Amino acid sequence: MKTKILSIGLAALIMTAAFTVLQKEVKVDTNSSQIAWVGKKVTGQHNGIVNIKEGALEMEEGQVTGGFFVIDMTTIDVLDLEGEYKGKLMGHLRSDDFFSVEKYPTAKFTITSIDKSEATDATHFIAGDLTIKGITNKITFPATVTIKDGKANAKASFALDRTKWEVRYGSGSFFDGLGDKMIYDDFELSVNLSSL
């Protein structure tokens, strides 16, 4: 009886160890990971960056299988303006007209699935839940995911409809008569995510 219990316990230990070897979690390198953004309006566009606060990627048998990252909304920066105009736009983006940063200092993306892609310009399709201003929507986008020397890197460029997260300022979908003050609903993101 003791031998049987010992055998079962040993088998369970081996299976746990094997699973631990196959699946691991690696932290996101917040120094080399970043999100670039572009917002467009009738009369032009603005662009900038926002930093990744923290995150982790789940890896199994040398492939990324899941993970999450937290976006530090307090770091929203504008790159195409300087001085007073830059300060005004940064303040406006952080205000309740846009991302309500004081109330919602972070946003979060959680991966729900990663599927290999046959597209020539992407290796995978990533699906997940994006939470901005406390509102969560499911999004899917193509990405190029690479593994080198045990480190993962994911790059993706895609557009999001900001109004799905109740960012409606200057939106022609909700306000009439905006003329050349209209801001397009879609904004573009370029994500570069690397693991440690």
Side-chain angles (χ1 to χ4, degrees), residues 26-178:
V26 293
K27 288 188 176 182
V28 168
D29 184 352
T30 56
N31 292 318
S32 62
S33 300
Q34 200 170 60
I35 300 173
W37 60 265
V38 177
K40 297 181 179 181
K41 53 186 180 178
V42 173
T43 56
Q45 66 180 46
H46 294 292
N47 69 281
I49 54 174
V50 61
N51 294 336
I52 304 291
K53 184 176 183 179
E54 63 177 315
L57 295 174
E58 296 168 8
M59 297 182 65
E60 188 173 340
E61 296 181 347
Q63 299 293 323
V64 177
T65 57
F68 76 95
F69 59 87
V70 176
I71 305 160
D72 186 353
M73 299 300 289
T74 68
T75 66
I76 292 176
D77 195 7
V78 177
L79 299 181
D80 64 303
L81 296 175
E82 294 181 359
E84 180 184 355
Y85 291 106
K86 175 174 179 167
K88 282 184 177 180
L89 180 54
M90 285 172 58
H92 200 192
L93 291 172
R94 295 175 185 184
S95 76
D96 290 339
D97 282 342
F98 284 92
F99 296 105
S100 304
V101 170
E102 186 174 343
K103 187 175 181 181
Y104 303 101
T106 61
K108 185 177 182 180
F109 179 69
T110 302
I111 298 170
T112 55
S113 68
I114 300 180
D115 297 309
K116 288 193 174 180
S117 167
E118 300 297 325
T120 56
D121 55 348
T123 60
H124 294 75
F125 279 107
I126 297 178
D129 296 325
L130 178 61
T131 303
I132 302 173
K133 294 177 67 173
I135 300 165
T136 301
N137 285 298
K138 295 185 180 300
I139 64 171
T140 304
F141 54 88
T144 299
V145 181
T146 56
I147 310 291
K148 186 176 181 181
D149 299 327
K151 294 182 179 182
N153 177 261
K155 293 183 179 180
S157 295
F158 53 94
L160 293 178
D161 179 352
R162 62 191 173 95
T163 65
K164 290 182 177 180
W165 289 269
E166 294 187 7
V167 182
R168 298 175 177 173
Y169 181 85
S171 168
S173 300
F174 291 89
F175 304 100
D176 296 325
L178 294 170

